[in-house]
Amino acid sequence: MTKIVFEDADGNRQAAEVDAGTSVMQAAMDSSVAGILADCGGGCSCATCHCFVTRGVFPDPDEIESQMLECVLEPEVSSRLSCQLIVREDMDGLVIKLPRNQI
Ligand code: FES
């Protein structure tokens, strides 16, 4: 299991224990994390799973994710779609930040 931490825009944190191979979005759903809505269920077609992650932790977004990221409110250089981020065992302690506008 890998521990990841969700941090909302006010700095409140919620930890989740996640099996490697699980998406960050699914981990948020399983842990009832507010701020990840995931309306399309992980199909990379809604952008309601927007989050912020330090660049370089995950492989760069592909073309479809990049296009969807153009739809999010208040994007940042660290913007990602959590349904496209797959947790690995070496990510223990990873912090996923959540946008204020999805709370
Ligand atoms: S869950 Fe819809 S784009 Fe990620």
Side-chain angles (χ1 to χ4, degrees):
M1 300 289 270
T2 303
K3 177 183 174 183
I4 60 175
V5 178
F6 294 92
E7 181 179 297
D8 72 17
D10 293 323
N12 299 307
R13 290 184 160 204
Q14 179 177 347
E17 296 288 336
V18 183
D19 287 325
T22 302
S23 73
V24 171
M25 178 278 286
Q26 190 60 55
M29 295 285 96
D30 292 346
S31 298
S32 300
V33 172
I36 298 291
L37 304 176
D39 288 343
C40 78
C44 200
S45 59
C46 72
T48 62
C49 64
H50 180 209
C51 67
F52 304 111
V53 185
T54 303
R55 285 186 77 92
V57 174
F58 292 97
D60 289 343
D62 63 15
E63 185 176 339
I64 295 172
E65 183 184 354
S66 295
Q67 290 175 352
M68 289 305 299
L69 285 168
E70 294 177 7
C71 303
V72 303
L73 296 174
E74 301 173 2
E76 296 181 7
V77 68
S78 60
S79 287
R80 296 299 303 264
L81 297 182
S82 61
C83 66
Q84 302 303 300
L85 306 177
I86 305 302
V87 176
R88 300 188 313 262
E89 288 183 4
D90 65 349
M91 293 178 167
D92 202 48
L94 177 67
V95 176
I96 306 290
K97 295 191 176 184
L98 305 171
R100 182 174 300 281
N101 58 38
Q102 278 175 186
I103 294 176

